[in-house]
Amino acid sequence: MKSNPASSKPSFTVGIETSCDDTGVGLVCNARGRPRPVLNLVRSQEAVHAKHGGIVPELASRHHLEDLGDLLELAMKEAGISWRNLACVGVTRGPGLVGSLLVGVSAAKAISYSLGIPLIGINHLEAHLLTPFLMATPPAFPYVALIASGGHTELILAKALGDYDRLGRTRDDAAGEAFDKVGRLMGLGYPAGQAMDDLSRRGKRNVLKLPVADTGPYEFSFSGLKTAARQMLEKRPPRKKADFAAAFQEAVVTPLVGKSVAAALDHRAKALVVSGGVASNFRLRKLLTARAALLKRAGCRLLVPPPAWCTDNGLMVAAAAFLYFTANHPSDSELDADPSLDL
Ligand code: KG4
Ligand code: ZN
């Protein structure tokens, strides 16, 4: 999307995301105190890591280093703005791979220092959960957010900007990790979430029964499911891969949907937000949409941002930085990468 080029007033916030294997640069502008999405550029390293069957940290940081400068230049060009139009720079400072995070943090520090603009360090999970502020009608607090990605599966109660309670999380594997590991056993490559999703559309989910873990009300567990799936694949390989994919997907998304909806209703949330790479899953979206009317009757809106905003990207980081910047958060000029940063 092109924005209005360069009035001399700096009104854009740039967001940089390099926590894992996607290099992301996003831009938002100030639309009467709200972050309006301007542009979202992501350079994926999927092809680089696919041949290794998982992320190789050294390769990830090297590619961020090669790509980030180009992507920043491209962002300015595509948005039709100059560096002087930037009012603030935001960057993911954790959690993630330390070498990858450092590339983004160093670049953001250089931008902040050379332009004399504030630098805001952003928690990657918080960026996911603030993503719906980019939508036409943003959520009101309190809201419940499910973040389901390759590294995280978390249910969070967002009470205000910066004020979050973790309601539950996975006890072992993340939902995306479960898709990736089982998909790899099925020969679907890495990452396998989208391929499992595509394959599932041709399968019958009720032909096979896979176990759904019995955990606490807002907790998840996918390692038992993963083991059961592996044993089934080894001992009694399914006649149709699509049926197996559909059954496996059902076993992952059923607790994600059931527990998020329950958490939203239990906490009288004004919205239920779903984000992270797994939020692009077709079946997950379908099951959630089927519960939208029930949620609405309880005064809760279902907000599922578009897939490009759910997977790792710089736009969500720009939005989060913008929200802190307009709330007068001081510049984090000394900020450091923190690979195990918590919410
Ligand atoms: O948020 P994200 O881009 O990066 C992380 O922070 O992990 O999420 C990537 C994860 C991967 O595990 C990928 O397999 C999964 O999200 N994923 C999906 C789908 N698209 C991506 N899982 C299920 N269905 C999908 N359509
Ligand atoms: Zn993520």
Side-chain angles (χ1 to χ4, degrees), residues 17 20 76 80 89 114 134 179 183 187 222 232 237 239 262 274 286:
E17 160 62 41
C20 195
M76 298 297 139
V89 51
S114 57
L134 290 159
F179 273 114
F222 298 109
M232 205 181 266
R239 271 196 298 133
V274 185
K286 194 162 178 200

Side-chain angles (χ1 to χ4, degrees), residues 17 19 124-125 128 147 149-150 152 276-277 310-312 316:
E17 160 62 41
S19 67
H124 179 83
L125 291 175
H128 274 304
I147 302 169
S149 69
H152 301 276
C310 287
T311 49
D312 287 352
M316 66 180 187

Side-chain angles (χ1 to χ4, degrees), residues 22 124 128 148-152 176-177 179-180 191-194 197 276-278 280-282 310-312:
D22 290 314
H124 179 83
H128 274 304
S149 69
H152 301 276
E177 194 181 352
F179 273 114
D180 293 340
Q194 188 58 55
D197 187 347
V278 181
S280 4
N281 184 271
F282 181 76
C310 287
T311 49
D312 287 352

Side-chain angles (χ1 to χ4, degrees), residues 89 91-93 105 108-109 119-122 332-337:
V89 51
V91 63
T92 302
R93 71 181 192 94
V105 166
K109 277 187 172 174
L119 167 64
I120 314 264
I122 297 295
D332 303 329
S333 43
E334 300 298 311
L335 88 88
D336 212 350

